Amino acid sequence: MTARRYVGRFAPSPTGRLHLGNLRSALLGWLDARAAGGAFLLRIEDLDPDRSKPEHVAGLFEDLQFLGLDWDGEVLHQSRRAEAYREALEQLRLAGRVYPCTCSRAEVARAASAPHVGEDGPLYPGTCRAGATPKAGRTASLRFKVAPGVVRFHDALHGPFVQDVEHAVGDFVVQRTDGVASYQLAVVVDDAATGVTHVLRGDDLLSSTPRQLQLIDALGLEAPAYAHVPLLLQPDGKRLAKREGALTAAALRARGVSAEALVGLLAKWSGLGDGTPCRAAELLPGFSLSKVRREPTVVHDEELDALVQTT
Ligand code: GLU
Ligand code: ZN
């Protein structure tokens, strides 16, 4: 096997401005790619027409540039990739791996009453797998027939990860009722089409990875390496969200926070350095994912207040 050149990517959803959690994933993804002498791609995950906004796309270019993170080549917009997703769905259909499902959310939730709740919402009980009669007046989604057995992979930060997708999630949606490809399918198709070799993203997607690996396998694609970075938490242990509006790069910048101060703090939260303000490129020498903190980081209000006052 020949070593492939490192190709990383950052794939934000333009549903708001980039907040501290996204920014940290972007910074670490960029550092990992650039330290390896690799490419770093940018993909806009704008499949959800109701939540994605063009002004947020412009905003995230601005936020990345502010942080000093550059990217290579054309930006890929998922909203323009319908043809590629259709082809992948056709390939899965020919292989007998998808089927239409007309179950409503409520029906799935009812059928999956505890203890059969999966890791990401209710476990799909497979109602339509055997070809249930489509319910009149309902548009069907397409579900992927998951393979039995466990999926294993090695995460650069978490180590070995094992999931029985059939019992943790069940057959999952690859095309929504509105005809749009699901996140799981689009990610796999786009990463492969753009030659991505390394996926670095937030911990919240760790449990999606086995599903994506099953799709990669069914489509005959090559799996990338994965690194899921731990979340930023509020002192109460919840995901950093309470002050999310105030914790975007844009909001902090408007309050006079410099890029250097922000980069220094993002680096400190990742176990890299003591928070001294610096440019992103200054973190490159000696950077290694093995130095990145593996535990979630509790973000204290005082740190954020100090950020605003000292810059
Ligand atoms: N669009 C996803 C998000 O913003 C990230 C997808 C990925 O990195 O695979 O959470
Ligand atoms: Zn169904």
Side-chain angles (χ1 to χ4, degrees), residues 20-300:
L20 294 174
N22 309 130
L23 295 169
R24 196 187 47 157
S25 297
L27 175 65
L28 292 175
W30 181 87
L31 286 170
D32 199 41
R34 296 307 191 206
F40 189 61
L41 311 179
L42 179 58
R43 178 168 79 228
I44 309 297
E45 303 217 319
D46 55 353
L47 279 180
D48 192 334
D50 301 328
R51 299 182 59 221
S52 304
K53 300 272 177 294
E55 62 267 29
H56 296 319
V57 177
L60 66 91
F61 293 153
E62 212 180 286
D63 295 343
L64 293 174
Q65 280 159 354
F66 172 64
L67 277 195
L69 309 182
D70 62 345
W71 58 89
D72 300 303
E74 295 276 301
V75 177
L76 198 77
H77 294 255
Q78 289 194 324
S79 56
R80 301 174 195 163
R81 301 267 303 148
E83 183 59 23
Y85 306 143
R86 203 194 52 71
E87 280 169 22
L89 287 166
E90 180 60 10
Q91 190 184 336
L92 294 175
R93 193 187 64 78
L94 290 172
R97 293 298 296 272
V98 290
Y99 60 88
C101 166
T102 47
C103 298
S104 66
R105 256 172 215 277
E107 282 163 354
V108 173
R110 251 197 318 277
S113 59
H116 303 294
V117 175
E119 289 184 13
D120 285 310
L123 178 79
Y124 182 66
T127 320
C128 301
R129 199 196 246 248
T133 327
K135 291 163 202 88
R138 279 200 202 161
T139 348
S141 61
L142 284 181
R143 283 187 189 267
F144 177 71
K145 280 188 199 173
V146 299
V150 296
V151 174
R152 296 170 196 279
F153 72 98
H154 184 88
D155 186 273
L157 293 170
H158 290 262
F161 189 82
V162 182
Q163 189 187 63
D164 177 341
V165 183
E166 186 186 9
H167 294 105
V169 186
D171 294 342
F172 57 90
V173 172
V174 282
Q175 185 182 47
R176 308 180 334 193
T177 52
D178 60 4
V180 176
S182 73
Y183 157 72
Q184 307 292 351
L185 182 86
V187 161
V188 160
V189 169
D190 289 340
D191 280 341
T194 53
V196 167
T197 59
H198 288 71
V199 168
L200 184 147
R201 58 189 175 192
D203 244 358
D204 50 329
L205 291 166
L206 184 64
S207 68
S208 282
T209 304
R211 265 171 280 175
Q212 294 172 17
L213 285 167
Q214 284 217 355
L215 285 174
I216 287 169
D217 193 47
L219 290 166
L221 303 170
E222 202 169 335
Y226 292 98
H228 289 85
V229 300
L231 295 178
L232 297 180
L233 302 178
Q234 299 172 169
D236 63 5
K238 296 210 183 84
R239 254 182 95 168
L240 192 65
K242 188 175 53 173
R243 294 169 60 186
E244 199 155 288
L247 297 183
T248 61
L252 291 168
R253 196 177 168 185
R255 292 170 72 192
V257 174
S258 69
E260 288 79 5
L262 191 50
V263 167
L265 194 54
L266 293 171
K268 180 184 159 201
W269 287 337
S270 308
L272 307 168
D274 59 3
T276 308
C278 65
R279 288 181 303 117
E282 290 177 78
L283 296 167
L284 274 175
F287 174 83
S288 161
L289 263 192
S290 63
K291 295 183 183 165
V292 171
R293 183 209 297 266
R294 283 141 208 263
E295 300 77 42
T297 301
V298 176
V299 171
H300 296 278

